[in-house]
Amino acid sequence: MGQILDAFYRNPAIYLLGAAALGALCIFIGQTTAAAFLFMLLGLMIVLWDAHTDPHIPEAPTLT
């Protein structure tokens, strides 16, 4: 899982555009449930990317 997240943070545009294109394709062929899932995933990826790259968000506290 760490390798997937590292690849996403190195070049998020490919993953974001890919999820958007697959969601649009699903709508085009009539698979609205799959499209809704892909657009939900796209929104989560955008939030994750923004939270990871925004310098105004403080670091999370550690337990140690």
Side-chain angles (χ1 to χ4, degrees):
M1 184 69 177
Q3 292 176 343
I4 294 171
L5 287 175
D6 289 340
F8 172 69
Y9 289 133
R10 275 194 303 270
N11 198 357
I14 292 173
Y15 293 93
L16 296 174
L17 290 174
L22 284 175
L25 177 66
C26 286
I27 287 177
F28 181 71
I29 63 174
Q31 299 293 321
T32 55
T33 303
F37 176 77
L38 285 167
F39 286 129
M40 178 195 66
L41 183 64
L42 176 64
L44 289 172
M45 288 192 310
I46 289 171
V47 168
L48 183 68
W49 175 57
D50 182 49
H52 183 73
T53 58
D54 192 357
H56 296 97
I57 297 176
E59 290 291 323
T62 61
L63 296 175
T64 58

